[in-house]
Structures are given as structure tokens and as C-alpha cells.
Amino acid sequence: MAERSFAKEVQDLKVPAGEEFRGEGILAVTKALLQSGVSYVGGYQGAPISHLMDVLSDAEDILSELGIHFEASASEAAAAAMLAASVNYPLRGAVTWKSTVGTNVASDALASVSSSGVMGGTLVIIGEDYGEGSSIMQERSHAFAMKSQMWLLDPRPNLESIVDMVEKGFELSEASNTPVMLELRIRACHVHGSFIARENKRPEFTLREAMENPVRDYGRVVLPPSNFVHEHEKVGHRWPAAVKFIKDNKLNEFLGGHSGDCGIIVQGGMYNTLMRALALLGLADHYGNTDIPVYCLNVTYPLIDDEVAGFCVDKKAVLVVEEGQPEYLEQNINTILRRKDIQTKVHGKDVLPLAGEYTGQVILEGVRKFYEKNNTEVIADSPALPAVLNEEEHASLAETVPARPVGFCTGCPERPVFTAMKLLQRELGNIHVSCDIGCHLFSILPPFNIGNTTMGYGLGWSGASAFNTESDKRTISIMGDGGFWHNGLTSGVGNAVFNKNDNLLVIVDNGYSAATGGQDILSSRAINKSKSTNNLISKAIAGLGIKWQRTVETYRISDMVKVLREAMTTPEKGPKVIIAESECMLNRQRREKPQRNKMIKDGKRVVRARFGVDPDTCTGDHACIRLSGCPSLTIRDNPDPLREDPVAWVNNDCVGCGVCGEVTHAAVLCPSFFRAELVYNPNGWDRFTSGIRVKVIGFLQRRIDKKRAKYSFGEV
């Protein structure tokens, strides 16, 4: 069950030629793929292109009608290897994943397909997850494009440009026999707009035709001596062919004015942000019209020497707006100009930050500095703008505004695992914990503060493999079910079995690839009409040789503590695995909430559990919050005027998982938590029992009130 359904939106993919297509960037990319006549599509989910995989999945019937095969790949490497279908056959194919982490995983297959070259057009759609909204290391796809000489497209973030670059990307790939990468930042993925649709195409050459007429060409296999020939093909044939296609089809754009002695060279993906900065400086209007000469690089690799030289030759200086580091474009442009003996000054990282996301404010300051150095008249009449905060003001702001680290969702079944680990550490002392990629990585933040390192998706146990040695303590490694099927089965479990590891792995099995939007995986319990699910993790690890394994429901914290203690203290040697099972609460609520609301609307009796805190009983020590971390568990003012400490409080987001109460019982036997049942459309018995409760409680409450009143007047 994905984070959201595109079942309604995908019907727009049938919009006929000549009509306007309206929607967001991800849908536009899918429509462009259909218009390009692809034979196959695949990929691995991950921000910011998770929704592209969801759209393709929801559009599977439409793809099938056109003869297009869709594959939800087991990993980015599996997706990249799909492109092998285009090496010997004129098949167009596209794959997608989150970069740069996904590209790192896919690098072996990508390097091979870029060496052998392709006959059919191949497109790799990269979710360029960069900047402060990113959850990964701050790197760029540009380096990989350069390393393997794959052409890199970076379209302007509007639907017309994105669709055009998808279609032209396939043509460029075929013209140069080279795979093409197209990067989309998160804003481009979700930008809304329109374009005039073209007809969806069936593949001109089908997968079935290729299978029934196999072709073998040793010259395309990456082995000596073919691989030596491939290197010469890249520089002797593929590169010149790509340059010619890019120039002939004007993929890069010369925008803005054509006068002035200064200009700006910008990555296509940064064009909208640049125009916003120019508008704030009074150098452009809000429709993107400007007198400043702008060279927009919709293709950032390879650069076209003649175009760069032609843009710069009559200018005193140019500013290169290149997000991220190192400054690949700036270095390349300098090389081009020096070789042609063009003395135009090239500014970039001297007026813009060396690293970090280029927001509108950042680019605005860079443009201002650029013109202050080269032509102050251009910005002489610019409107006065608020200054950027200095370091002292930043520090003051950081002290004033509390940090808001990301955390687990309300009712998340993964929180109890780390609560149990915190409780265990009270007994055994601190433990080295090797983390993994996924929702469970939030445990490294407050309030749990558990975890020492994280090395990559499915590499939790591998990250602690060096500690497979004699010690008085064992290490604990964490892995999600998504990471397990992605890479952890072999790199983690298989590696531990082979090397006779004596440490512990906890596999958090919440039933989905939850961190990327709730997509089904091999071990999902849901029935998926087009995929094989219900393949148990316990059977997979048993097949690899794990003899010591336990399965426990995560919400049963006392059981979690017990089995963790057993794993950490047993004299039995060998790798140990705990499978901590409970369904992702977000997906559970997505399934159950509509059903519950419908039942209530239909007048059927529905009972929903809620938890609360008795403010008169709460001591205000907040152990429940420190050990639970649930967003629905917070604080409020103490109703007792004689006590200053705020009391714990459960807000209306509570989903009734019960962990908060169980946590406090496991920790300090807190009596302040209570469980209540909300009854919708109550029947006669519900009303009768409720009336009895009200009378009994009212009687007892009146006795207490009477006793309090008696003592308040000094009576004995």
C-alpha cells in the first residue's frame, strides 16, 4: 500500500495528441515515457522519485495495453542491470532511483552498460536529492556522469522542458549509443503545470521480438579486448555524436537579453531560482523576462565548447551558477576558454558558497557580489533588500528556536524496539549499535539517542562486522525489512553466517518499504495482484543458516526486553537474529480509517481505544516521554496550583497503540495512564452500562467532595 494512490491521476496519461495535459512533474515524466515508445521501465523507490514508482505501479494496466513491461526492482543495481536489454536490441528503456545513494548501488551495472554502449535509447531518471531537504550525504550525480561518460540532462523545472528533455534524452542516447541520465530535484518532481500532449506510442520493437530473435555480439561484452575498444569508441564516436545532437537540437538555451558585458551560465534545474533572485534585484520580471544574457545548461555534461565560447567571447565576465561541489562546470568552462584564448573572467564559487543548497537568497547575494565586482551600474538601482543573517545572529537564532529533529510517527511500531533497548542498557550498560537506512534510523536522534554509525541500505550488520571478536559484550545491529531484501540478506545475514558472527541483528519488519512511502516488498502481508508477497523473513534467514532466531511483536515491550536480554547474554555462539514484527501504523491507518469512518457514517457500532493521563496522579517526571518519543505524548500545565512541574498529556492524535502506558509500566510502574474506549453509534447495552458507571463514579466523587469540604472548614 503506497503512501498515496495515483489511480485517478493516471487516467490523464490517456490524454490524446493535441490536448492539454495538466498535472505535476512526476505525471508529466510518465506521460513523456509513454510518448517516447519505451519497451520497459523499472526502478527502486526513494525520494524524490518515490512517486514516479507509485505512478508507474498504478498505471500498470495502461502500460500493459501499450506492451510496456514494468518492474519494481529489488534494488537500484537490479534496475540498472535492466538496461542490458538495450545493448543488443533497439529497445527503449528507462529506470529510476534516488541519487546519489542509488547511483552508488547501481554503479557496477551502470559502468558496464556505459562501457558496452546501447543500441536502443536508455534513460536513467535520477532523483537529485540535494540540499537541506535531503536525507543523504551531500554529493552530486555529475561526478558519475563524468566518470563513466554518460550524458547528464538537467532540464528547467517546468513541464514543457521536462517532457522535451525526456523525449530528446532517448534520441540523444540512440544518436550517441550512450545511456543518458536525467536529474530531477524535488521541486521539479512536484511542480505543477501543463503541456500539449502527443500520442502514446507502442514500442517499435518489442521485448518478445528480441527474445524470439536473440542477438549475440562479443564486441558489446565488457571483457578484453572489447573493453579497450569501448574506451576509444567513447571519445572517438559517442562523444562527437552527442555534441552534434545537442547542438543541432538546441538542447541548451540562450535566454534573456543579448547585450551587456556580463552574463550568467546556469544549470537548467536552477533556472527558476535564478530568475526569482533576478526579479528581487529588479533585473527581471515575474514572468522570467530579463535583459541579462543567460546561458541555460539543460545538458550539464558534456559541455559544448563552441556554445560556451560563443556566449563568453564578447563578455568581460560570466557568473556560473552551479549548486554543490566540487565546481565541475566552473573548472570545465575555464578550461574551454583558456584553450581558445578567451580572457573572459569566470566567477562562481568565489561569490557563491562552496557548498550547500542554492536558495533564492543565496543566489541573490551571489549575483549582487558578481555585479559589484564587474558592473555596479547594473545593480545601482536595485531595491534595498534585507541583509542575510551574520554568524552572531545565526547563533542567537539557534539558541532561541528549539531544534526539531525528525522522529517516529504516532503509534509507530518501531519505537518500542528502541524503548526496549534503552531499558536493557540500564541493566547491561551502553552497547555499540550499528544503524541502517530506514525509519528506524530516527532512533539515533532524541529521545532514544541510540546508534553509532550507518553505512548504507541493508548494511547495518556489515557495519559492525569488524567487531566479530571475543568480548564481554555483543553488538546490536539494526535492519529494516526493506533493507533486508535490498542488500541485507547477502551483505548482512549471509556475511555473518559465513564468518560465524556472534553478535545480534534486529530486523524491524513493519510489512512495507515504509520509509519510501509504504510500497510492498517480498515479505508484505498484503495481497498484491501483480507481485509475490508473504515470503517470510524467518524462512529466508533459516535457509541461509541462522539457527538462533526469535520473532516478537514490537508492541509487547516486556517481551522485547526479555528476548533482547536473552540474545545478549546467552552462552550459545553464532549469529543471532530477532525479527521484530508489527505493521507500519501509517499504512494501517490508511487502510482502517476509511473503513472505520464508513462504518460510523452507516450507523454501525464502532469502538476505538484511546489512552490518557490522569493529571492528579502524574508526578511530572516524564519518563514516559523520554522512553516513548510518541508525537501524541506531550506536556501541559499542571492543574494543581501547588505543583509547578507540567504533567504528561496524550493529545488527539493518539491511535491507541498503548505503548506509552506499557513503557511507563516497564520502567517505573506509573499508575497515571488509563485506557478509554470511544463508542460510536452505541447500542442499548452501551447506554445502560455507561449510565451505571456515571452514577457510581458520581456517588464516589460526591463523597470525596463532601470530605474535602469538611476538612477545608477545619472540622475533625
Side-chain angles (χ1 to χ4, degrees):
M1 179 186 292
E3 181 179 15
R4 61 157 295 191
S5 171
F6 289 87
K8 181 179 178 181
E9 289 92 333
V10 296
Q11 298 307 313
D12 293 337
L13 298 174
K14 299 178 181 178
V15 169
E19 292 191 13
E20 185 181 56
F21 180 98
R22 301 191 65 85
E24 65 175 315
I26 290 298
L27 286 160
V29 170
T30 310
K31 175 62 173 166
L33 293 174
L34 302 187
Q35 293 177 175
S36 300
V38 293
S39 297
Y40 62 93
V41 289
Y44 191 84
Q45 59 271 1
I49 51 78
S50 282
H51 282 169
L52 178 54
M53 290 297 294
D54 295 337
V55 168
L56 291 169
S57 180
D58 287 337
E60 201 157 358
D61 290 342
I62 298 172
L63 300 180
S64 297
E65 291 173 7
L66 292 168
I68 303 170
H69 173 63
F70 167 62
E71 188 111 332
S73 307
S75 69
E76 298 86 353
M82 284 185 74
L83 300 177
S86 299
V87 171
N88 293 306
Y89 307 98
L91 296 165
R92 284 188 170 184
V95 293
T96 184
W97 54 71
K98 170 193 183 86
S99 196
T100 54
V101 285
T103 307
N104 293 338
V105 174
S107 59
D108 203 5
L110 274 186
S112 292
V113 76
S114 63
S115 179
S116 61
V118 292
M119 180 183 296
T122 58
L123 193 66
V124 181
I125 301 168
I126 299 293
E128 193 72 354
D129 193 12
Y130 184 84
E132 293 189 8
S134 169
S135 62
I136 61 171
M137 69 287 291
Q138 298 294 275
E139 294 184 354
R140 298 166 58 193
S141 301
H142 199 102
F144 198 97
M146 294 171 62
K147 174 189 79 68
S148 293
Q149 292 187 18
M150 299 172 62
W151 319 136
L152 180 61
L153 308 183
D154 188 4
R156 285 196 291 144
N158 65 72
L159 263 56
E160 289 184 350
S161 294
I162 292 171
V163 169
D164 186 50
M165 283 300 109
V166 170
E167 295 175 346
K168 287 294 194 297
F170 285 110
E171 296 176 24
L172 171 60
S173 176
E174 290 166 344
S176 60
N177 304 116
T178 303
V180 171
M181 301 171 75
L182 182 144
E183 64 179 21
L184 296 172
R185 295 167 181 82
I186 194 163
R187 293 178 182 85
C189 288
H190 302 298
V191 67
H192 281 252
S194 64
F195 63 94
I196 301 304
R198 296 195 302 111
E199 202 67 44
N200 294 338
K201 294 181 182 178
R202 296 183 65 85
E204 294 181 4
F205 186 77
T206 68
L207 292 165
R208 180 169 184 168
E209 288 177 286
M211 293 169 67
E212 294 177 353
N213 300 278
V215 172
R216 180 181 181 277
D217 182 359
Y218 174 69
R220 298 297 100 208
V221 179
V222 188
L223 279 174
S226 301
N227 55 323
F228 306 128
V229 177
H230 297 165
E231 185 180 20
H232 292 281
E233 281 183 4
K234 283 183 177 181
V235 297
H237 164 68
R238 300 183 202 171
W239 189 304
V243 169
K244 183 178 186 304
F245 182 91
I246 294 165
K247 290 173 61 176
D248 291 349
N249 289 271
K250 298 180 173 59
L251 299 191
N252 296 319
E253 300 174 277
F254 294 93
L255 304 168
H258 300 285
S259 59
D261 59 359
C262 294
I264 299 176
I265 300 175
V266 61
Q267 293 169 291
M270 298 304 302
Y271 177 79
N272 288 7
T273 312
L274 169 66
M275 297 315 298
R276 176 60 177 159
L278 292 179
L280 290 173
L281 284 168
L283 301 178
D285 62 25
H286 294 293
Y287 299 97
N289 299 309
T290 178
D291 291 331
I292 304 296
V294 177
Y295 178 36
C296 182
L297 297 173
N298 293 314
V299 183
T300 53
Y301 186 79
L303 291 184
I304 310 304
D305 293 18
D306 293 347
E307 290 184 356
V308 172
F311 181 78
C312 296
V313 68
D314 61 344
K315 293 177 178 60
K316 179 174 70 175
V318 294
L319 171 64
V320 180
V321 180
E322 176 185 9
E323 187 177 51
Q325 53 85 30
E327 61 270 46
Y328 299 118
L329 294 176
E330 188 177 340
Q331 293 175 19
N332 200 344
I333 289 168
N334 267 302
T335 299
I336 292 170
L337 297 183
R338 299 297 85 82
R339 284 178 177 173
K340 293 182 178 292
D341 198 26
I342 296 173
Q343 301 307 311
T344 304
K345 293 181 182 178
V346 178
H347 295 273
K349 299 298 184 184
D350 57 333
V351 296
L352 287 162
L354 292 172
E357 185 175 4
Y358 279 9
T359 62
Q361 182 69 48
V362 168
I363 295 181
L364 183 152
E365 291 299 322
V367 171
R368 191 203 298 273
K369 291 177 182 176
F370 168 69
Y371 277 105
E372 285 174 350
K373 286 188 174 186
N374 295 283
N375 191 337
T376 55
E377 294 180 3
V378 173
I379 57 171
D381 299 325
S382 295
L385 295 166
V388 180
L389 295 177
N390 58 38
E391 290 186 11
E392 188 175 321
E393 290 169 323
H394 267 298
S396 175
L397 188 64
E399 293 172 1
T400 305
V401 180
R404 296 186 63 189
V406 293
F408 295 100
C409 299
T410 301
C412 175
E414 303 188 7
R415 286 185 295 108
V417 176
F418 303 105
T419 296
M421 289 173 62
K422 292 286 283 187
L423 294 173
L424 183 67
Q425 287 193 75
R426 289 183 174 183
E427 302 176 25
L428 304 182
N430 290 334
I431 300 168
H432 180 92
V433 179
S434 176
C435 296
D436 207 320
I437 302 299
C439 297
H440 40 83
L441 187 56
F442 297 152
S443 65
I444 210 165
L445 300 168
F448 298 112
N449 302 304
I450 287 177
N452 298 72
T453 56
T454 178
M455 289 292 105
Y457 202 27
L459 296 177
W461 213 355
S462 302
S465 57
F467 299 113
N468 183 23
T469 186
E470 287 293 329
S471 173
D472 292 334
K473 284 186 180 180
R474 292 185 169 110
T475 64
I476 299 178
S477 300
I478 311 295
M479 190 184 296
D481 46 358
F484 172 82
W485 293 114
H486 177 276
N487 192 25
L489 178 63
T490 53
S491 297
V493 180
N495 182 68
V497 171
F498 184 70
N499 289 290
K500 296 184 177 180
N501 197 303
D502 188 40
N503 292 311
L504 171 64
L505 170 68
V506 177
I507 300 177
V508 183
D509 181 7
N510 59 29
Y512 307 90
S513 183
T516 59
Q519 295 83 5
D520 284 336
I521 52 179
L522 276 162
S523 52
S524 295
R525 305 301 191 269
I527 303 299
N528 190 310
K529 65 179 182 179
S530 62
K531 302 291 183 290
S532 173
T533 54
N534 276 284
N535 299 284
L536 299 182
I537 292 175
S538 57
K539 290 185 177 181
I541 63 174
L544 275 181
I546 295 291
K547 296 180 175 60
W548 196 105
Q549 64 166 291
R550 306 286 188 270
T551 299
V552 61
E553 182 187 336
T554 64
Y555 291 116
R556 301 176 67 88
I557 294 179
S558 57
D559 289 349
M560 278 297 312
V561 174
K562 181 180 178 181
V563 76
L564 280 167
R565 184 188 298 114
E566 180 188 359
M568 296 298 286
T569 59
T570 178
E572 184 178 339
K573 298 295 183 181
K576 298 157 188 66
V577 177
I578 297 173
I579 303 173
E581 292 184 335
S582 282
E583 183 182 11
C584 168
M585 184 56 73
L586 274 182
N587 270 29
R588 180 176 173 181
Q589 291 298 314
R590 290 181 190 123
R591 184 182 70 256
E592 293 183 352
K593 192 172 181 179
Q595 297 172 353
R596 183 173 65 242
N597 291 342
K598 185 178 185 304
M599 291 174 67
I600 295 172
K601 185 178 179 181
D602 293 343
K604 296 180 179 178
R605 180 179 182 272
V606 174
V607 180
R608 187 160 70 93
R610 281 288 309 277
F611 286 79
V613 177
D614 180 0
D616 292 328
T617 311
C618 177
T619 63
D621 73 340
H622 307 143
C624 52
I625 295 175
R626 293 193 301 273
L627 286 168
S628 170
C630 180
S632 69
L633 190 58
T634 180
I635 59 174
R636 70 186 320 178
D637 291 337
N638 199 315
D640 188 338
L642 299 179
R643 293 192 296 167
E644 294 183 354
D645 291 335
V647 295
W649 177 58
V650 181
N651 68 24
N652 289 329
D653 294 335
C654 175
V655 295
C657 70
V659 169
C660 52
E662 187 167 345
V663 163
T664 51
H665 281 272
V668 291
L669 199 61
C670 177
S672 60
F673 277 84
F674 64 84
R675 182 181 185 274
E677 290 185 345
L678 305 180
V679 182
Y680 300 86
N681 301 317
N683 56 28
W685 177 254
D686 294 322
R687 296 179 190 280
F688 173 74
T689 54
S690 176
I692 296 296
R693 291 192 194 99
V694 169
K695 289 180 180 179
V696 172
I697 294 172
F699 170 74
L700 296 173
Q701 188 65 50
R702 285 192 297 274
R703 287 185 62 191
I704 294 173
D705 292 342
K706 186 177 179 179
K707 186 177 290 187
R708 283 177 175 171
K710 178 180 178 181
Y711 283 105
S712 67
F713 288 103
E715 299 181 25
V716 178

